[in-house]
Amino acid sequence: GQQLNQSPQSMFIQEGEDVSMNCTSSSIFNTWLWYKQDPGEGPVLLIALYKAGELTSNGRLTAQFGITRKDSFLNISASIPSDVGIYFCAGQLNTGFQKLVFGTGTRLLVSP
Amino acid sequence: EAGVVQSPRYKIIEKKQPVAFWCNPISGHNTLYWYLQNLGQGPELLIRYENEEAVDDSQLPKDRFSAERLKGVDSTLKIQPAELGDSAVYLCASSLDWRAKEQFFGPGTRLTVL
């Protein structure tokens, strides 16, 4: 099935560093969601974006809905060890039903 | 508020055996989704229910997979017979209704087919 392009695939950083990841698509989306998945658990919703250009924060996390509606970005500031996990973007197609298309994931490792 | 509940969390079976997964969505959520997550990939939709009606099952391999949501609450996903390639995590999610933009996921069932 269709999967969005997410980059980078993985990151290994030091505690306290800032992190940026992005998601791109050839399709236009009307909503972008960012999820975090810990090992052995389901994805947990972090941030939801509803219109082009929107910038939304959730604590140390900030996400942006790209102007073209074909991309989105997630930034994590001052990373901590519990930020470790896989981050997925998900876009909702511009149709009546809110079908989610997920990205390939960014694996984040944080060294204390 | 309780989240999406799934059971079992892990299942190991031999190929050609049947297997079933159970999901209880968040209370009041009318829309229920089953997703397949292969190793190293994001979830992919298998089937969506609006109350008890399956309204999008185009990605469900109907030769061996089936699902039901008889009373519009709990749901069961079944594979019969299982194949080696079915080894994956099966995730259930729910949302308030089909217009809701946010979906909430359960912990998943990790299936291993030997």
Side-chain angles (χ1 to χ4, degrees), chain A residues 1 3 31 33 35 37 40-43 45 48 50 88 92 96-100 102-104, chain B residues 9 33 35 37 40-45 48 56 91 98-107:
Chain A
Q3 298 249 304
T31 301
L33 306 175
Y35 288 85
Q37 187 171 26
E41 299 296 332
L45 183 63
Y50 302 112
F88 288 100
Q92 287 183 325
F97 161 51
Q98 307 296 320
K99 178 177 179 178
L100 275 181
F102 279 81
T104 48
Chain B
R9 294 292 310 274
Y33 313 80
Y35 285 85
Q37 186 174 27
Q41 297 186 22
E44 297 182 56
L45 182 68
R48 171 176 69 101
D56 184 356
L91 293 163
W98 66 271
R99 291 163 296 193
K101 297 180 184 297
E102 299 169 8
Q103 297 179 21
F104 300 90
F105 285 81

Side-chain angles (χ1 to χ4, degrees), chain B residues 25-87:
Chain B
I26 293 174
S27 178
H29 280 198
N30 294 326
T31 305
L32 183 146
Y33 313 80
W34 282 102
Y35 285 85
L36 167 69
Q37 186 174 27
N38 286 309
L39 189 63
Q41 297 186 22
E44 297 182 56
L45 182 68
L46 288 173
I47 189 170
R48 171 176 69 101
Y49 278 93
E50 295 296 335
N51 298 301
E52 67 276 7
E53 183 181 1
V55 293
D56 184 356
D57 62 356
S58 58
Q59 301 303 311
L60 191 72
K62 297 181 184 62
D63 56 337
R64 297 182 300 107
F65 286 67
S66 65
E68 60 183 15
R69 194 185 184 200
L70 293 176
K71 297 183 178 179
V73 180
D74 296 359
S75 177
T76 303
L77 178 68
K78 299 178 182 177
I79 309 175
Q80 181 170 8
E83 297 179 351
L84 295 177
D86 296 332
S87 295

